[in-house]
Amino acid sequence: MANIHPPKQQDMKYLHLLAQSFPNISEASMEIINLQAILHLPKGTEHFLADIHGEYEAFQHILKNASGNIQRKVNELFGNTMRESDMKELCTLIYYPDQKLELIKAAEPNIIDWYRITLHLLVSVCRLVASKYTHSKVRKSLPHDFSYIIQELLHERTDDANKADYVNVIIDTIISTGRADDFIVAISNVIQRLSIDQLHILGDIYDRGPGAHIIMDTLSSYHSWDIQWGNHDILWMGALAGNRACQCNVIRLSLRYANLATLEEGYGINLVPLATFAMETYGDDPCEEFVPKIASADSARIDQKTSRLAALMHKAITIIQFKEEATIIKRNPAWNMSDRLLFNKIDYQKGTILLDGKEYELKSNSFPTIDPRHPDRLTPEEKQLMDKLNHSFQVSEKLHKHIRMLLQHGCMYAIYNNNLLFHASIPLNADGTLKEVEIAPDMKCSGKELLYNIGMMIRTAFQTDSSAEERTYATDYFLYLWCGPDSPLFDKSKMATFERYFIADKATHNEEKGNYFKLRDDEQIVDNIMDAFGVKGENRHIINGHVPVHVCNGENPVKANGKLMVIDGGFSQAYHKETGIAGYTLVYHSRGFVLVQHEPFTSTLDAIQKCTDIKSTTQIVEMSAHRMRVADTDIGRELSKQINDLQQLLYAYRHGYIKEAMSNK
């Protein structure tokens, strides 16, 4: 209180408002005591994931095991008293309580004894993961049915002789009343919930995997998460906003990897019109370049007939995509993307294309829907097809719900606890300075302002009170974010989709990366970016994904002397061979950063039946000299401000500036 001074006149209105919540010295003092105590708790565990790409089973398992954190807690508690196989069984029960219980009850000869032992074990694990939180926070995370019972079990112990019988009777009564299964499910979910305090997703929930919609459903009930949008998320947002080039891209990518579950089962996008059009238009075309890329694990589910139809649909939507992109590029000449109007560069008689003054032979010259005089114009049949596909996107209630979630929980960047989070890049000049990018007529900006204004433009596309002109441009801009050279979600010289499909010479496939990717190992440049975004603190970092880290080639995900971490290790099966691993997660707990490198996840069924976990190795990235407390976090800094305000209120009460009132509680 020594630094508290008489309140200024302009502060009195705020203090009177604060007095409505804390009407007297007693209540204000109690809140100060409570907040001071919270500041000295260990900081909550933050969990960072990137580039999930629809791999919902691996994603859900990593949430359930908290990147191996639950297994570490179980080993810490029981490593000297339980067999390894028993600890694996306990962990699997925590991850998948409903399914595992069915297997155990079918095989366990003395289920009452098993219940009694297991309930005590689960309570011990729950007590450990809850120990870093206030009683109030733990209470809020408990299911209503068992809230009181779990609170009692967490706060009383059998090693207290006075309470041993009390605890044992609670356990026995749970069993005798037939609630053991329900209690196991409830407390297992609490353990999962308390093992991760905040989930950060650094973009790309969507793309080639089979279950992006399932991931979004999982997040809809998740306690605390945020997302920094990735280029594939933006593609789906653009598709819902009505950008037809984005709609074509999401369909093309799904067909490229023969994963239509998200489109058809998740969002009810009707692809029958596309299949009909493709068979009628390309039925005699071998479409060799468009045969789906199928991971070996999925080869059994795709027969030859299905693969053939997918190839036809794949080519049909790709040709339409290039036409739709051309329409948007022509409408926005300021983007300087006319070099991507490649249908204008084809000699349709010779079957060649002229790029940068050099002629290349096309792998296929079958373009039945292209009029060489107007190569970017849709045929009437293509236009009718796109009208149907656009309608299908617009009427998908679940897609509307999921994109609203991305808008509510997401943005282009975020700063949490001295860490700058974004998906891909910050546009830079060759000397490492921030590059000014024109994102709209008469609007040029860089760095933090660039990402903020892009985020606002994305929201404009969904705001009915925006003008038609503003919404049209904002909707078009999703395409630039997807493949524009100065897009912070792309940042390459070009997207060589056409070249990869139609030109054999791989030199044309090259997509030169922007300066951020070339310079991001330079500590000074990384520091300059963080300075520009206002990231403070000695232990500050940039964390992003987007570009898979090729571990098999010796690439290190930790760059710039530990100040930048790239955590895209290839969740998607399509990347496993390329990266040599199956993804990273980054864990930031009270003792520092741990990077967890994962091997491929077999299946949820294997995890339940065989107690297999994702095999993971951990790399200590940075350990704190002291155990970090809530006081060291953004929340802690906010709580400290609240404490200061309450101390001002106490001063006002004690010196007669404000009169005390009766408690309002």
Side-chain angles (χ1 to χ4, degrees), residues 15 80 121 124 126 140 147 193 234 317 386 400 484 600 617:
L15 290 177
N80 295 323
L121 295 175
S124 296
C126 192
K140 290 173 184 176
S147 179
R193 157 70 179 82
I234 287 294
I317 201 66
M386 283 309 302
H400 276 273
T617 54

Side-chain angles (χ1 to χ4, degrees), residues 124-156:
S124 296
V125 177
C126 192
R127 186 180 295 124
L128 181 59
V129 298
S131 61
K132 64 164 62 176
Y133 303 112
T134 64
H135 289 177
S136 173
K137 185 166 185 172
V138 172
R139 184 174 64 251
K140 290 173 184 176
S141 71
L142 301 179
H144 175 75
D145 284 1
F146 293 106
S147 179
Y148 173 75
I149 294 172
I150 294 176
Q151 287 180 70
E152 289 297 291
L153 291 172
L154 292 182
H155 303 145
E156 308 295 352

Side-chain angles (χ1 to χ4, degrees), residues 419-435:
N419 297 309
L420 172 59
L421 317 180
F422 54 86
H423 175 65
S425 105
I426 303 296
L428 301 176
N429 296 309
D431 63 357
T433 56
L434 297 174
K435 183 176 184 177

